Amino acid sequence: MRKMMAGCLLILLSLGAGVDVAAQSGAKDEAKKAGEATKEAGKDTADAAKHAAKATKKGAEKGAKTVKKAVTGDAHATCVDGTRQAGTTEDAAAAACSGHGGVAKH
């Protein structure tokens, strides 16, 4: 009877140790998964920031082109004397070259 009780006690103790090891292993796996999820979230945030920066850059470039066109006009003509004339149309820019020897031939 004592041998049977000692055997059962050993079995119960070894089962308890196995449960602790399994619990620690499960916690490690979950921590690893949480770390990977955090890493992916960081990458997604970086990608979003990169795309937002590109959109801002494109918007700024488009705004700069619009301002340049408003200041210098839409059309340009190079005159014979080397000056560059601007106008709202190609004909208007070419007409501005009349006092500069006309439009230069390319």
Side-chain angles (χ1 to χ4, degrees):
M1 180 84 160
R2 285 185 178 189
K3 288 184 179 181
M4 188 171 121
M5 292 282 253
C8 288
L9 185 59
L10 285 174
I11 291 172
L12 287 174
L13 288 174
S14 64
L15 286 176
V19 170
D20 287 343
V21 171
Q24 288 176 356
S25 175
K28 286 181 185 177
D29 289 343
E30 291 303 316
K32 184 177 178 181
K33 288 179 185 176
E36 289 172 356
T38 302
K39 184 178 176 182
E40 290 299 317
K43 286 181 183 178
D44 291 343
T45 302
D47 286 343
K50 182 171 69 171
H51 291 299
K54 284 183 181 179
T56 303
K57 179 182 174 187
K58 286 182 181 180
E61 287 174 351
K62 187 175 181 180
K65 287 179 184 177
T66 302
V67 169
K68 182 179 176 185
K69 282 186 178 181
V71 172
T72 61
D74 292 332
H76 296 89
T78 303
C79 303
V80 174
D81 65 356
T83 60
R84 188 166 167 97
Q85 301 298 319
T88 55
T89 64
E90 292 291 329
D91 291 334
C97 281
S98 63
H100 299 272
V103 178
K105 306 279 187 216
H106 295 288

